[in-house]
Amino acid sequence: VAARGGRIQYAGYHSAAGNYIVIDGGGTGVDYAYMHLAERTPFRVGDLVYTGQRIGSVGETGNAQGCHLHYEMWASPGWYEGGRPFDPLPSLLAWDGWS
């Protein structure tokens, strides 16, 4: 499921990432990437997704060993736009009420 809602910035396949999707967290400056999905997502670039909405299934596509989700958060200005990935754990814990 989408950790945070926003617009689909990318949805496709990469030899290393497998089937993956990137969500532009509207108004936050943060992008959210989900990699190694079992199948291509049904969403297209520009589609709006909501926090908690199902975006795909965990898989083993691309350069993956074992079924898992590779999740990244990218700081502003975002994914492959000059931003940088950062540790998502503090955000995940805060969203889950463990901060």
Side-chain angles (χ1 to χ4, degrees):
V1 299
R4 284 290 188 248
R7 294 218 177 262
I8 303 299
Q9 182 174 350
Y10 181 84
Y13 184 87
H14 183 276
S15 62
N19 295 314
Y20 76 109
I21 185 170
V22 179
I23 298 173
D24 178 355
T28 67
V30 177
D31 291 343
Y32 307 87
Y34 305 80
M35 302 174 196
H36 307 301
L37 301 176
E39 302 143 357
R40 290 183 187 253
T41 183
F43 295 102
R44 305 240 185 266
V45 171
D47 286 351
L48 181 64
V49 296
Y50 300 94
T51 301
Q53 185 174 358
R54 188 175 191 279
I55 56 173
S57 298
V58 174
E60 192 177 0
T61 59
N63 186 11
Q65 295 189 13
C67 185
H68 71 280
L69 174 67
H70 180 126
Y71 175 72
E72 293 182 356
M73 291 176 65
W74 284 72
S76 184
W79 173 79
Y80 287 107
E81 296 171 332
R84 60 173 177 68
F86 64 93
D87 183 359
L89 185 58
S91 295
L92 293 170
L93 291 172
W95 297 333
D96 195 41
W98 287 92
S99 60

